[in-house]
Amino acid sequence: MEFIVNLFKEGYYEGVLIIIFFSIVANFAKFIDFYDFNRKRRIKDLYEAVNSPKVGQQLKSQLEHEIEVEHFKIIYKVRVNKELLDAIFVLHNRIGKSLSFRHLVRAASFNPCILGIEEPSYRIKLSFFDKVVAKYNLVVGLFLLLFSFLLIGYFWVNYTTELNWGNLINGIACIMIGCFMVREGLPLKSVSFVNEALDELDHNS
């Protein structure tokens, strides 16, 4: 820690950024493991509660729903409640194999309204805000990915004459942020695929 403070005092800001950046990257997997550990521990606690003779049948039924939802979160990395989870399978059973289940999962990340989902006329409708945010993530995310290639390319081209670690760090950071933003925006396309599949099903019926 003292070494980092001395670098900062002496004006070696790029060195400080490099150390901080690689420290975050090196420990990122541990953060993920910690999150998964807590999630799996909660499932274990839920199972123990369900199997406890002191828990009433009504509460057991609710806890079983919680277990189902927690397993879904771990596998698909999407937060849903029991009602939305049931809605996903309603649409999956209706559409069948004509559309990948993954698109339904991605569309569910918007937490769309599921009122009237039993009706053939049901379509996933997103709020104006959700659409704007998703499009923003896609556009800016793709721009950051392109920009990252320029920064990393500039770093390698001038590697022998000008060693600018800042370009490399910024390039890698842009890749990480860009990939995250594109990932957050892709569900918008999945919503379109789901609605198109429902339209085709409605047209053929």
Side-chain angles (χ1 to χ4, degrees):
M1 186 65 184
E2 185 179 348
F3 174 69
I4 297 176
V5 173
N6 289 334
L7 284 177
F8 191 80
K9 286 180 178 179
E10 293 174 11
Y12 295 106
Y13 303 119
E14 289 185 356
V16 175
L17 286 174
I18 290 171
I19 293 173
I20 294 174
F21 177 79
F22 283 107
S23 297
I24 294 173
V25 172
N27 292 284
F28 185 73
K30 294 181 181 179
F31 296 141
I32 299 298
D33 289 341
F34 180 74
Y35 173 82
D36 286 341
F37 172 78
N38 285 336
R39 184 67 65 190
K40 291 173 182 177
R41 184 175 181 179
R42 183 169 188 269
I43 291 178
K44 182 181 178 182
D45 292 340
L46 288 169
Y47 272 118
E48 290 177 356
V50 167
N51 295 323
S52 173
K54 297 181 181 180
V55 177
Q57 192 58 44
Q58 244 184 339
L59 181 55
K60 280 186 178 181
S61 178
Q62 177 61 33
L63 293 177
E64 286 172 351
H65 291 162
E66 290 288 330
I67 291 173
E68 191 177 2
V69 167
E70 289 297 329
H71 277 302
F72 186 88
K73 288 177 184 176
I74 290 175
I75 295 170
Y76 294 106
K77 312 300 181 186
V78 174
R79 290 178 175 273
V80 296
N81 53 33
K82 175 59 177 173
E83 291 74 18
L84 184 54
L85 181 58
D86 291 340
I88 291 173
F89 285 101
V90 168
L91 292 178
H92 180 59
N93 292 332
R94 184 182 302 167
I95 296 172
K97 296 181 179 179
S98 62
L99 185 70
S100 171
F101 183 73
R102 176 63 65 176
H103 288 300
L104 292 168
V105 174
R106 287 174 181 165
S109 66
F110 285 110
N111 194 25
C113 176
I114 56 175
L115 291 176
I117 195 166
E118 299 291 346
E119 300 295 325
S121 60
Y122 175 82
R123 301 292 184 272
I124 297 177
K125 295 180 180 179
L126 301 179
S127 67
F128 176 77
F129 178 77
D130 284 337
K131 290 178 181 178
V132 170
V133 171
K135 290 178 181 178
Y136 171 82
N137 283 330
L138 279 174
V139 173
V140 176
L142 289 173
F143 171 79
L144 286 175
L145 288 175
L146 292 173
F147 187 59
S148 68
F149 296 138
L150 292 176
L151 288 174
I152 295 174
Y154 183 82
F155 170 80
W156 285 115
V157 168
N158 296 278
Y159 179 76
T160 55
T161 58
E162 182 186 358
L163 190 60
N164 191 336
W165 288 100
N167 286 334
L168 180 61
I169 293 174
N170 290 331
I172 296 174
C174 284
I175 289 177
M176 296 174 66
I177 297 171
C179 286
F180 175 78
M181 294 184 73
V182 170
R183 180 179 174 274
E184 291 297 301
L186 279 178
L188 182 65
K189 197 62 181 174
S190 291
V191 170
S192 298
F193 287 147
V194 172
N195 286 337
E196 286 172 7
L198 291 171
D199 287 337
E200 186 177 350
L201 186 67
D202 196 26
H203 178 74
N204 294 333
S205 62

